[in-house]
Amino acid sequence: MDAKHIVVIGAGVIGATVALALQRDGHRVTIVEPSTPGGIQAASHGNGAFLSPASIIPMSIPGLWKKVPGYLLDPTGALTIRWRHLLRLSPWLMRFLLSGWTPARVGKTAAALAALLAGAQARHRALAEGIGRPELIVQKGLIYAFADKTAFENDSASWALRRRFGVRMQELDGTELHALLPDLSQAYQFAILLTDGAHCTNPGGYVAALVAAAVAQGADMHRARATGFSLRNGRLIAVETDAGALACDGAVIASGARSKALARAAGDRISLESERGYYVEIADPAVRPAIPVMPQDGKMANVLTETGLRASGQVELASADAAPDWRRADILLGHLKRAWPALDRPETDAKVSRWQGNRPSTPDGRPVICVASGCRQIIHAFGHGHIGLASAPMTAEIVADLIADRPPAIDIAPFAATRF
Ligand SMILES: Cc1cc2nc3c(=O)[nH]c(=O)nc-3n(C[C@H](O)[C@H](O)[C@H](O)COP(=O)(O)OP(=O)(O)OC[C@H]3O[C@@H](n4cnc5c(N)ncnc54)[C@H](O)[C@@H]3O)c2cc1C
């Protein structure tokens, strides 16, 4: 295969894993990123750190439309829509509701995401070991905690679908749950343990380490913002940036929630919005859960990272540039204190840090991974919504395959840019 010079736009977890996959194929790589790789500007910094085989169900499921008025009226719910942004978001919202209108549509997305997430834990372990940082990926399982079995059964369709796609799960009663997590509130009396689940102990640090490894292997880091592409006779000749043009043979758009304009410049109109999320993280926490937990009432990932106990979650539909609404982080903190009663003391508050970030989200919950319609040398790799951390290594392998003109290991038709 011919070695090429490929410009990777964006140094979140997608850009970082893509850069390493391209280097494995012998390509020369330049990473364009205006900020710190894995820094606070990136969704990859503040995610819930879950590498969950269960993350195959999209946000939009049948009957969701009935809840939309509630999402508009309740600014404290797990999903909220900011009124001021409603008009601009309407086309995306309409597609969002339609994409989950029938069980068949949800099943189609679940099948696509199951393929994208297959083997994600092993792929991440191999990546972390490959850069000499095996401690960044831990496979001890993941727990989804419910008030009781009835609460679990209320969501039985989603869990049945997961089972259908081979997600291995073990039911835990209250005693078994609290044997694994003694500090968890007694309000949770039933759980699902995903034995294949894993987590990352420092999502932002992981991205920084992956990018550092790529640079150590010869990648160039170009501190700039990509602004467009120069083509000659339909062939890419350069990526334009606010610090000059970069001549290249190919480019990968991996700029997360900011990818829409670049994708348009490459010939594709993508329905992409920010599903904004938040975290609170308590440094030196009074409880140290051995296995990450997703308490189902708060819909938030509770995970012990290298920097503290993190609760990450919430979905707020608004523009990526809107100011954070820190009340949403405080909602997470309230949930966290209820889930772990030992945290509910005044000294906790002094140790809390807060973050807001932008999930790059398509309406159907599937990323865009394909060759751009306007230029064969530009590859789309964005729109990973809730699963970008987990699905990054497989995405990177697909991108490397597309650049090498090899057939990817999985069917990528569900990730086409032309589906919108
Ligand atoms: C609260 C929350 C919880 C989550 N939990 C999980 C989870 O538990 N598991 C999971 O798998 N996923 C989770 N996700 C989703 C996951 O974090 C994202 O899907 C993933 O990080 C997206 O990675 P990315 O590289 O595409 O984008 P980003 O991480 O946002 O990185 C994009 C990068 O591109 C750069 N950039 C932007 N514009 C340009 C430009 N014009 N030129 C050059 N560079 C540019 C940015 O500065 C940024 O560094 C969560 C997300 C959130 C917000």
Side-chain angles (χ1 to χ4, degrees), residues 112-176:
L113 297 186
L116 195 64
L117 289 174
Q121 299 75 19
R123 283 185 163 81
H124 276 288
R125 278 206 320 271
L127 267 174
E129 275 161 23
I131 61 166
R133 297 289 305 278
E135 77 284 1
L136 284 167
I137 303 295
V138 172
Q139 189 154 6
K140 286 187 183 169
L142 295 168
I143 289 178
Y144 290 69
F146 299 82
D148 50 30
K149 189 150 187 190
T150 311
F152 165 71
E153 284 164 354
N154 288 342
D155 195 18
S156 59
S158 299
W159 288 98
L161 197 54
R162 292 177 172 119
R163 218 171 242 129
R164 208 176 96 205
F165 285 105
V167 177
R168 293 198 298 173
M169 49 186 91
Q170 189 183 323
E171 296 190 4
L172 303 177
D173 63 20
T175 310
E176 291 164 325

Side-chain angles (χ1 to χ4, degrees), residues 9-15 32-38 41-51 224-227 254-258 262 275-279 301 312-314 355 357-360 381-391:
I9 303 171
V13 71
I14 301 297
V32 180
E33 166 64 59
S35 308
T36 308
Q41 83 289 347
S44 304
H45 172 87
N47 58 51
F50 268 44
L51 306 176
R225 186 172 299 281
T227 52
S255 37
R258 312 282 177 177
L262 288 169
E275 268 185 85
R276 296 148 55 91
Y278 291 78
Y279 80 44
S312 178
Q314 299 272 322
W355 171 87
N358 298 301
R359 294 182 192 86
F382 57 85
H384 291 74
H386 292 245
I387 57 154
L389 171 63
S391 61

Side-chain angles (χ1 to χ4, degrees), residues 57-72:
I57 311 292
M59 288 292 290
S60 178
I61 52 174
L64 187 81
W65 61 271
K66 292 181 213 154
K67 297 186 181 166
V68 170
Y71 296 151
L72 283 163

Side-chain angles (χ1 to χ4, degrees), residues 53-115:
S55 301
I56 62 170
I57 311 292
M59 288 292 290
S60 178
I61 52 174
L64 187 81
W65 61 271
K66 292 181 213 154
K67 297 186 181 166
V68 170
Y71 296 151
L72 283 163
L73 293 171
D74 179 9
T76 64
L79 193 160
T80 189
I81 307 170
R82 284 214 207 164
W83 272 103
R84 237 174 346 114
H85 302 261
L86 187 59
L87 191 62
R88 199 188 55 76
L89 287 171
S90 306
W92 186 96
L93 271 174
M94 197 48 80
R95 286 194 180 101
F96 174 68
L97 292 177
L98 289 175
S99 72
W101 203 259
T102 63
R105 290 184 193 174
V106 174
K108 190 174 169 192
T109 291
L113 297 186

